[in-house]
Amino acid sequence: MTLGGGPRATTAALAVMSRGAVSRVVAYNLVVALFVLAERATAGSGALFSALTLGTADAQDVGSLSRVVLSLLGFAVLVSFVVLLVLAVRTSSRLRGAAVPAPTPSRPEAPAPVSPARSEPPSPSAGPSPSVGPSTGSRTGPAPAAAAPMDRRALTGALLGLGSVLGATALGGSLDRSQGSIPDAAGTAGAAASAAAVTPTGETTTIAVSMAAMRFTPDRLEVPAGNTLVIELSNDDPHDVHDLVLATGATSGRLRPGESTVLDGGVVAHDMEGWCSIVGHRAMGMTLSIVATGAATGTSADGGAVAAGSGTDELARVPADMMAAPGPAFAVRDARLPAATGPQQRVTLEVVEVAAEIAPGVTMDAMTYGGAVVGPVLCSELGARLTVDLVNHGSMGHSLDLHAGRVSPDEAMRTIPPGERLEYAITTDHSGIWLYHCSTMPMSVHLSAGMVGALVVPPPELAPVEREYVLVQSEHYLVPAGAPGSESTTHEGALPVSPVKIAAERPDLTVFNGHATQYVHSPLEARVGERVRLWVLAAGPSRGISFHVVGGVFDTVFKEGAYLLASRGRRGRRGAGARSRRGPGRFRGAGLRRARHLHRREPLLRGDGARRSRPDPRHGLSIPPGRARPVAGERPCGRPAPVPRRVGGARSTRGRGIPSAP
């Protein structure tokens, strides 16, 4: 009796599962072996890697894209196993459901009569007579012939598996070189091609190079063609971190102040360039040139791995979806003004370099005070003593410049290297909202990377308000993915700051409090009839801002130490502006009259971008970058517009139905 289709169902299922079995096993195991050997980074593993790839690839040439391609190949092998398993189950089920034909009994045939007259003994030359029935000891001809094709198919499968892995490594290496993940032909491969025309001399040229003040000394290294270049590199800068990257891809790694290392430049066969890869340092002129004396003309290298992937325009705008909500990991910035903590105030600002989202889907290689683009808002009483402890947890030098105090910049604003701290103390004698920022060169790069913040010093006798918000505008310049300089990012997936765009003044984003859309989806709220004060700071680094509250009109505007617009109540009571104006630029703030027609889900604020116009102060304000900022208001609905009038050096308003400030 035969149940469930018999052995033919099992045989058919195994035949399906065995399709390409040898090639799949060889490819998958070879991919796993290459991954393991590439990670070990030893001489033995490198030799075995080259042997498994038949000398077509080296372990150090396995970049991120090579790993992706090999991973896809291994994943395809695993997926093929699942697909074949499903097909085998279907085949087995189909055959098990089919009826198995029952064997029909056959009648034995009668032996043919043998004539005695014609019977002859078998001739020895005729060979043995064929046996009747099964014979376990008999050798049949087809058996050896069937084994040969199976061996050829197995060999073909093994070659296919090996070829697929070699093709994947070649494709991944080509993609890595095109994207600059490993040195391109313009770098190491180009150097090898040039070296073919230059016979190595076997001699070594050793040159000592110092790094300080955004310069290499010397910045021109002359090496006889064919000599091996060895650079004794030292960082003699008292504050900044530096490094050296050659066009061949050789790099020294980052050196802290006082550290030194030896960089092997290899055999010099052509002229090449070197530079510091710290963001902004190359743009500041921190480059050197290596001249191969005696080399044939036209054998220069032009940037190596860093120039690879230059198909993207470095001035191209980074796209951002301005209607999308911030990412799930982003925390909306609380825009409320914090309270001052008394006449003696001490705060700590910690420098942290992070990957920060500044728009939906756009992440920047950020330098920050406290881990967020735009540092924490500081609030201090007028005449108080404010002490800031600056701690540098970054990978390069940073500093602090508080615009609200008068200090000697040589000590208080000096750049401190990673791991050090600095005490910065001022007396807040001047009221208003003040910028603080990093002043380390190149300053515009550090500001664009997020190292800005606001210090608010409220003047005495300010009119009471129900809500008080702080808004810091900043613009950001990013290197597009795939453009020159994009490989210098220190956080995966983040875009570094672009010194080229800063010089061209072509920002990608202008934002409030570090993110482009956070207050669109989490608006600043105010109830109808509430008085609101806004402290607005244009941090730049390059552009100002035209500020406006949509649907509202300001009734009090104070900018750059003087009233542009003041309510009627300030005329006879010597308001906050008159009391605090002991010098130019003292008070830069006032009240916002009243909120009207504001729904709870309707944003109070929308930025108008970086305009250059000077609108009516009742409707909007133009603020230059890095200067003192206004705080503004709007008048109630249905009231006539106030008429400005100069009173006592300040500007007040006269209009019917305008209530005085409380």
Side-chain angles (χ1 to χ4, degrees):
M1 178 181 292
T2 302
L3 298 177
R8 63 172 185 164
T10 304
T11 303
L14 291 177
V16 173
M17 289 294 299
S18 299
R19 294 175 184 174
V22 177
S23 59
R24 289 187 284 119
V25 170
V26 171
Y28 185 79
N29 286 277
L30 193 54
V31 166
V32 174
L34 294 182
F35 260 95
V36 174
L37 294 175
E39 290 293 335
R40 295 186 62 84
T42 62
S45 61
L48 185 55
F49 187 97
S50 298
L52 291 178
T53 57
L54 303 182
T56 60
D58 295 326
Q60 61 268 22
D61 291 340
V62 180
S64 58
L65 294 179
S66 295
R67 297 172 189 272
V68 170
V69 174
L70 288 174
S71 299
L72 291 176
L73 177 60
F75 181 72
V77 172
L78 295 179
V79 170
S80 68
F81 173 81
V82 177
V83 173
L84 292 176
L85 179 62
V86 173
L87 294 178
V89 171
R90 292 182 57 185
T91 301
S92 178
S93 300
R94 178 173 53 82
L95 293 179
R96 288 178 184 275
V100 180
T104 57
S106 58
R107 292 179 300 176
E109 298 181 359
V114 179
S115 174
R118 300 184 59 87
S119 66
E120 298 176 357
S123 172
S125 61
S129 62
S131 60
V132 179
S135 174
T136 57
S138 63
R139 295 180 58 192
T140 59
M150 180 60 69
D151 292 341
R152 286 196 298 270
R153 286 195 297 269
L155 178 60
T156 302
L159 293 178
L160 286 176
L162 177 61
S164 63
V165 174
L166 295 181
T169 55
L171 176 61
S174 177
L175 294 175
D176 280 324
R177 289 183 175 87
S178 66
Q179 295 298 324
S181 300
I182 59 176
D184 194 11
T188 54
S194 299
V198 177
T199 302
T201 62
E203 299 181 0
T204 300
T205 299
T206 303
I207 302 177
V209 176
S210 172
M211 302 183 294
M214 298 294 171
R215 291 292 182 270
F216 290 103
T217 306
D219 59 359
R220 178 184 172 89
L221 311 182
E222 294 187 357
V223 182
N227 279 19
T228 299
L229 173 62
V230 174
I231 300 176
E232 296 177 347
L233 190 65
S234 61
N235 184 4
D236 298 323
D237 197 303
H239 308 299
D240 275 340
V241 175
H242 297 293
D243 67 358
L244 174 60
V245 177
L246 301 181
T248 59
T251 178
S252 65
R254 296 190 174 187
L255 300 180
R256 294 166 54 90
E259 292 184 344
S260 60
T261 189
V262 176
L263 176 62
D264 187 356
V267 176
V268 176
H270 52 73
D271 298 346
M272 71 178 72
E273 185 184 4
W275 58 88
C276 179
S277 68
I278 305 297
V279 59
H281 289 197
R282 187 179 185 182
M284 292 285 293
M286 197 167 181
T287 61
L288 63 80
S289 59
I290 300 174
V291 179
T293 59
T297 59
T299 58
S300 60
D302 56 358
V306 177
S310 58
T312 303
D313 183 8
E314 53 189 335
L315 290 177
R317 184 164 184 171
V318 174
D321 185 357
M322 304 305 292
M323 301 303 295
F330 179 80
V332 176
R333 182 73 168 265
D334 187 356
R336 293 176 296 179
L337 176 69
T341 58
Q344 296 291 332
Q345 186 175 4
R346 194 177 193 105
V347 297
T348 299
L349 292 180
E350 297 186 356
V351 177
V352 185
E353 297 167 8
V354 299
E357 179 184 312
I358 59 175
V362 180
T363 303
M364 178 177 68
D365 231 352
M367 311 173 193
T368 68
Y369 294 114
V373 174
V374 178
V377 175
L378 308 179
C379 186
S380 179
E381 297 178 355
L382 185 63
R385 186 67 173 174
L386 173 63
T387 302
V388 178
D389 293 313
L390 180 68
V391 184
N392 188 2
H393 295 306
S395 61
M396 64 187 75
H398 293 289
S399 60
L400 177 66
D401 180 359
L402 290 169
H403 284 197
R406 294 180 176 177
V407 296
S408 173
D410 295 342
E411 178 61 25
M413 301 181 192
R414 64 182 174 86
T415 298
I416 59 174
E420 294 193 6
R421 61 188 303 127
L422 173 70
E423 183 179 291
Y424 192 136
I426 63 171
T427 301
T428 54
D429 291 330
H430 309 283
S431 58
I433 178 168
W434 300 90
L435 174 69
Y436 71 82
H437 63 90
C438 178
S439 58
T440 300
M441 297 188 299
M443 189 186 307
S444 57
V445 171
H446 287 244
L447 268 67
S448 179
M451 299 195 76
V452 296
L455 168 58
V456 178
V457 183
E461 300 183 9
L462 270 181
V465 294
E466 284 77 18
R467 300 177 189 268
E468 204 162 3
Y469 293 119
V470 180
L471 297 169
V472 180
Q473 168 269 344
S474 59
E475 71 245 18
H476 302 281
Y477 307 78
L478 305 176
V479 179
S486 60
E487 74 288 336
S488 63
T489 180
T490 57
H491 298 90
E492 185 177 357
L495 301 177
V497 176
S498 171
V500 176
K501 285 186 178 179
I502 293 176
E505 198 174 326
R506 294 178 61 174
D508 294 291
L509 295 162
T510 299
V511 306
F512 282 123
N513 291 352
H515 197 281
T517 66
Q518 58 178 331
Y519 298 134
V520 175
H521 297 271
S522 299
L524 307 181
E525 295 182 348
R527 296 180 182 274
V528 175
E530 287 184 336
R531 186 176 177 85
V532 180
R533 179 176 293 119
L534 298 173
W535 300 86
V536 182
L537 174 67
S542 300
R543 292 186 173 184
I545 182 177
S546 291
F547 181 77
H548 170 53
V549 176
V550 177
V553 178
F554 303 140
D555 76 341
T556 305
V557 177
F558 199 97
K559 177 183 178 184
E560 304 297 344
Y563 277 105
L564 300 181
L565 188 67
S567 62
R568 186 176 59 185
R570 293 195 178 278
R571 205 171 27 172
R573 56 178 288 186
R574 293 186 63 198
R579 286 203 166 212
S580 62
R581 291 174 61 201
R582 300 174 184 149
R586 286 299 181 90
F587 174 46
R588 298 158 173 95
L592 184 147
R593 189 57 190 166
R594 295 192 187 279
R596 65 177 178 86
H597 298 309
L598 292 175
H599 303 284
R600 294 188 61 84
R601 302 179 67 87
E602 178 181 358
L604 174 65
L605 171 71
R606 293 180 184 174
D608 284 351
R611 298 181 182 173
R612 300 288 186 175
S613 61
R614 286 187 174 272
D616 188 327
R618 292 171 296 177
H619 298 84
L621 298 171
S622 292
I623 313 170
R627 303 296 300 278
R629 314 299 165 232
V631 179
E634 56 176 288
R635 61 187 177 86
C637 177
R639 304 297 177 87
V643 179
R645 185 168 65 87
R646 180 74 62 178
V647 178
R651 184 177 283 187
S652 64
T653 59
R654 174 177 295 175
R656 292 183 301 172
I658 305 288
S660 301

